[in-house]
Amino acid sequence: MIGRCLQALIASDLPRALWELIVVDDGSRDGSVSIAAGHADVVVRLPGPPHGPAYARNRGAEASLGPVIVFVDADVCVHADALRRIAWAFARRPELGAMFGSYDADSPQLGDISQYRNLRHHYAFRREAGAAETFWAALGAVRREAFLHAGQFDEWRFSRPQIEDVELGYRLRRLGYPIGLDPTVQGTHLKRWTLRGVVRRDLFDRSIPWIRLRLAHGSSGRPGQLLFRPSEWTDTALMGLAFLLLVLAALARLPALAALAGVVAGAVVISSVRLFWFFGRRRGLVFALRMVPVHLLYHLLSSLAAAWAWVLYQLLGAPTASATVRAQSEAGPRRWPPHPRRTEASFWMEGGAGRREG
């Protein structure tokens, strides 16, 4: 995938002399370094096991020279005009702290689950265009000044792909930096999702940490990038109710409760009719119908995550880094690559960050 990602960047219509290409190799075991060396201006190699995207992006940002830092995941192929649109947005709005784009709706046929995720993402980001309350780093950009002021990604607490970008966005907003969502800045997502991967990603790496963050510090405005609107919260609650009714129906052997659960799930489908209409226009009626159980699973996972996150927060409070990482960070030994750094601007810290003046 890295080869296709880099080829797409090189094909950008923003003149190559105006930007630099930095690739961070976070413990890969394939030929990624050799491929990157043929395209990149700088390749940063991180020895040892993977350190996670927060850590890797921070090291790449430290190696960069420009006033705006663009992050692109290795499984994303940007459109030819993406970098130009980003550069134009920051030039037009000097106050803009960060911005991000969206997956396109024309991803390769990678299976129903992958298609559902990419199309739902495209649909949701398109209707949320404009001011945003958080950040998305698969195809996002941040002004260097704002990135350093916010303390960079929280590599201390996020040692694997989770909500490190969402959390950074909250800190940027608390500091007063505007964030924009421009769905015309697009990239093709190449990742092939499996059902197991979706459950793990949505349940343990996105929804639960994100909800624990909101429980710990509340919301700084609109909901974040997992559940966009009040209707999404309602659908999630309804699917949780439907699941509970099914469990009670099985335990009590009451078919009426199972039928009621079906009615509740049907209400979720009806409330999402515009999304299914979008699916139908893009992939056809049969595909839209196949997406109904996938969509219900998405909301079921969100409801389970909300319940589990609430329990974890009541028992453990806000997430913390491991004892080893805390000790290394506080001791501060000088080495390369550096130990994960603790940022005092972290949204998880008590008191949060102050607002930016001006």
Side-chain angles (χ1 to χ4, degrees), residues 12 68 141 182 230 270 287 312 334:
S12 297
V68 174
D182 183 357
I270 293 174
F287 175 85
L312 288 178
R334 302 181 68 86

Side-chain angles (χ1 to χ4, degrees), residues 70-268:
V70 181
F71 301 103
V72 180
D73 281 357
D75 58 8
V76 174
C77 293
V78 300
H79 288 193
D81 63 350
L83 295 184
R84 175 171 51 82
R85 289 179 179 274
I86 290 173
W88 182 77
F90 280 96
R92 184 173 59 90
R93 297 183 56 191
E95 80 284 359
L96 187 66
M99 66 168 296
F100 55 97
S102 168
Y103 294 145
D104 63 25
D106 300 314
S107 300
Q109 298 296 326
L110 298 175
D112 282 357
I113 294 178
S114 298
Q115 288 292 295
Y116 168 79
R117 292 180 67 86
N118 290 337
L119 287 172
R120 181 176 59 80
H121 180 283
H122 178 83
Y123 174 82
F125 275 39
R126 186 180 63 177
R127 66 177 183 170
E128 292 293 321
E133 295 296 330
T134 185
F135 185 60
W136 182 64
L139 178 50
V142 59
R143 202 177 296 275
R144 176 183 294 276
E145 170 196 354
F147 185 62
L148 296 178
H149 189 196
Q152 304 180 299
F153 289 101
D154 192 344
E155 62 192 48
W156 192 48
R157 287 176 171 81
F158 299 107
S159 59
R160 67 177 192 270
Q162 288 189 310
I163 58 165
E164 68 284 344
D165 49 356
V166 174
E167 192 269 344
L168 172 63
Y170 282 153
R171 277 188 278 125
L172 287 168
R173 289 298 298 122
R174 286 167 67 91
L175 287 166
Y177 291 101
I179 302 175
L181 165 53
D182 183 357
T184 67
V185 176
Q186 295 186 10
T188 302
H189 194 206
L190 304 178
K191 184 177 180 65
R192 180 181 291 274
W193 287 97
T194 64
L195 182 59
R196 180 179 179 181
V198 167
V199 171
R200 177 178 178 180
R201 176 66 170 163
D202 283 359
L203 196 59
F204 298 107
D205 291 336
R206 296 293 286 185
S207 296
I208 289 177
W210 181 77
I211 293 172
R212 290 181 72 187
L213 182 149
R214 289 175 60 85
L215 288 172
H217 291 276
S219 173
S220 60
R222 295 188 301 171
Q225 302 301 330
L226 295 181
L227 300 173
F228 280 92
R229 300 183 176 205
S231 60
E232 297 262 353
W233 286 103
T234 301
D235 290 345
T236 295
L238 287 175
M239 277 308 301
L241 175 60
F243 178 74
L244 180 60
L245 289 172
L246 281 176
V247 171
L248 293 176
L251 294 176
R253 297 183 179 180
L254 293 175
L257 287 180
L260 181 58
V263 172
V264 174
V268 175

Side-chain angles (χ1 to χ4, degrees), residues 6 33-40 43:
L6 295 176
V33 173
S34 298
I35 296 172
H39 298 279
V43 178

